[in-house]
Amino acid sequence: MSHEPHEPRRPRDASGRRSPDRRLAHAIQRVTSTALGPYQSAVVRIGFSATWLLFLLWEVPHRHELYGPEGPWGWDMAQRLIANNHAFTALMWSDSTVWFECLYVIAVLSSALLMLGWRTRAMSVLFMIGVLSLQNRSIFMGDGGDNVIHLMAIYLVLTRCGQVWSLDARRRTERSRDLAGPVLWTVLGVALVAGTVLDRIGGEWWLITLFWGLWIFHGVWWAVNRRAPGSELRTLLDVLTNLVHNTTLAVIMAEVCLIYATAGWYKIQGSRWQDGSALYYPLNLDYFTPWPALSDILAGSGLIVMLLTYGTVIVQVAFPFTLFNRKVKNVLLVAMMLEHAGIALLLGLPFFSMAMIAADAVFLPTAFLVWLGGRVALGRDRVFRSRAKRVPEQRDAPDEQAARTLVG
């Protein structure tokens, strides 16, 4: 009878749990071997790209006044500002209207394609370039929502946000031949070479290094995945990307908590928030009253104003501390999303609210997101199935009419 060596027992403490060393090793293995939060990162990607896309489309009639050559923030003033803060914007490469229109179209297309999850690695970089170029061109045109989009556009570049709910995920499942990827990579490489040679990236060495690093890494990733999918180099690339993704996801969560914590504590210091009357004033400003009748009803009730004012402060201050309790966190998460929906309706700030709801979505439970994705997929299948049923009926109608004519 052979005696095989038994696996050594895992050290446990007196309560029967794993030792701290084993828990630490398990945590490190999980962080390096898996890109955590695939559904959360996907919903953040969809939310912010959709918000920016809708904003760009909404402002098409006013794009020249906001970010173009006809804006109040002139070309010379923008040049002086960027020379001091060293911000990146491709709109400063030329004051031509044609160049502005081209960049605006690129921003719109990259937002739409990132929302759909087509070539998410490349589109996330183009999305970041579009956001930074437009917002840094006219920094006084934004609000709090634009600042959040500004940050998230940078973070999305470092995440694996196309694992689920994307055309990339479908392509990986079908294992179709990849032709668009190398073509897109080559075109972007040519553009990067031209920008570097002509010194059109902004003259900042770190920015040039960043773009070249992203371009080279994406090329190496594609080549290794194509030529040696099971090699050690492929495993190393997976570990690196998982580490970057998980770290960035943690930064996004910390950023959201910081936004709410600072907003809540600043509100506490204000006298109008302390006496519960802060909400009364924006409800009586014409600029923030898209529905005057509804605003008058709410502003006319002191109790409602007081409850909404104190409720806003309590939710914002308490939310970072509720992350340790899942049930309480989910309740406050729903409350914050409803609060932003109310801001969009009552104060006429839809894009700010959409940006904040997209940021809040990083804390949504995975089970809920999986259920939501299943419901959306079911509704999509029903729509396509109903269309498929109607098409044959429309095609048979002329044949039936001809048959009746012949019989008659």
Side-chain angles (χ1 to χ4, degrees), residues 7-28:
E7 181 182 357
R9 293 183 178 180
R10 298 175 179 176
R12 298 177 181 270
D13 54 15
S15 62
R17 299 178 178 177
R18 292 181 180 178
S19 65
D21 294 338
R22 295 294 299 181
R23 291 198 296 268
L24 179 61
H26 177 71
I28 293 175

Side-chain angles (χ1 to χ4, degrees), residues 209-380:
T209 304
L210 173 63
F211 286 143
W212 275 110
L214 291 171
W215 184 78
I216 293 173
F217 182 82
H218 291 167
V220 171
W221 178 279
W222 181 88
V224 172
N225 192 46
R226 183 68 178 269
R227 303 297 180 183
S231 63
E232 294 181 356
L233 182 57
R234 178 67 167 81
T235 303
L236 176 61
L237 292 177
D238 271 335
V239 170
L240 292 176
T241 52
N242 290 336
L243 278 174
V244 173
H245 167 87
N246 295 330
T247 303
T248 306
L249 201 62
V251 171
I252 292 175
M253 294 180 178
E255 188 74 37
V256 176
C257 292
L258 182 63
I259 290 173
Y260 284 116
T262 53
W265 286 106
Y266 272 113
K267 287 182 175 65
I268 288 178
Q269 301 175 28
S271 59
R272 295 294 177 265
W273 292 95
Q274 293 176 3
D275 60 25
S277 63
L279 187 62
Y280 173 82
Y281 299 96
L283 290 176
N284 285 276
L285 294 177
D286 294 337
Y287 185 78
F288 293 106
T289 52
W291 311 99
L294 181 59
S295 299
D296 291 341
I297 294 175
L298 294 178
S301 174
L303 178 61
I304 294 179
V305 170
M306 183 185 66
L307 291 178
L308 292 177
T309 302
Y310 285 151
T312 300
V313 176
I314 292 173
V315 168
Q316 292 182 353
V317 173
F319 178 73
F321 302 99
T322 63
L323 299 180
F324 303 101
N325 189 304
R326 183 178 302 177
K327 294 182 179 179
V328 178
K329 182 262 296 182
N330 291 337
V331 172
L332 285 188
L333 192 60
V334 173
M336 286 194 302
M337 289 185 172
L338 292 176
E339 173 191 340
H340 291 304
I343 291 175
L345 178 65
L346 294 176
L347 303 183
L349 299 172
F351 301 111
F352 166 79
S353 299
M354 289 179 63
M356 293 308 303
I357 291 175
D360 296 340
V362 73
F363 294 104
L364 288 175
T366 301
F368 170 76
L369 292 176
V370 172
W371 173 84
L372 180 63
R375 302 303 298 179
V376 172
L378 181 61
R380 177 198 61 193

